[in-house]
Amino acid sequence: MSRHAHIIFDLDGTLIDSAPAILASFVAAFAAAGRVPVRDITADIIGPPLTETLQLLSGSSDPATIDTLAEHFKAAYDGDGLKQTTAYPGVGDMLEQLHRHGIALHIATNKRLAPTLRILDLLGWRTYFDAIYALDMVTPRLPNKATMIGRLLAERGIAADQAAYVGDRLEDGESASANALPFYAATWGYGALTPDALRSGWMHLPTPSANRLMTG
């Protein structure tokens, strides 16, 4: 019997490699806006919500500037850009095995909801997930991932001792801990978490593994 009845996943850098599509769309957004980013557009910027990333890249918090860049990014990414997204090797098999064993799967991601759903459809994964949560699923958007996970648990009636969270960044681990969830650090992606950065109680998941997630 599985240790966890519910497993909640991050998306970017955990289940999918969306770096090529995201980075190309940021480049296109700045070009379309006629602006030069104040720092290099590299994979380490991926993970935070769009607004925060654009503020980092532009060096500005001016709402009009960020709104313009966001619209250009969405046009590039939501068009053909997201079609460059690929699944990490072994992730599809992991999800299929977990689903087959009756474990309820969920997503809690900083990615916007619309492209999240399109990507899941492109990969043929939508039916694996009972719930798909994103910061922009409500207006005003949810303030952070910890709040989003808490809302998912509350709305779905999931007790913390029934679930675990899987992610690739420090924020993911902190958000899991804020909700008293066990945390598995997926270190195969481009996230900033490395094995030596794991905090007490966090578990290392070096490769996609249904067995590891089921047995703890």
Side-chain angles (χ1 to χ4, degrees), residues 182-216:
F183 176 63
Y184 292 85
T187 56
W188 56 78
Y190 46 70
L193 260 185
T194 57
D196 59 356
L198 301 189
R199 296 181 182 174
S200 177
W202 292 1
M203 291 158 283
H204 183 206
L205 193 66
T207 59
S209 171
N211 288 338
R212 178 79 171 88
L213 291 173
M214 287 191 290
T215 59

Side-chain angles (χ1 to χ4, degrees), residues 17-36:
D17 182 0
S18 52
I22 290 175
L23 298 180
S25 297
F26 277 126
V27 170
F30 277 84
R35 296 182 63 94
V36 178

Side-chain angles (χ1 to χ4, degrees), residues 7-18:
I7 298 177
I8 308 168
F9 289 95
D10 172 52
L11 187 60
D12 289 325
T14 300
L15 300 181
I16 60 172
D17 182 0
S18 52

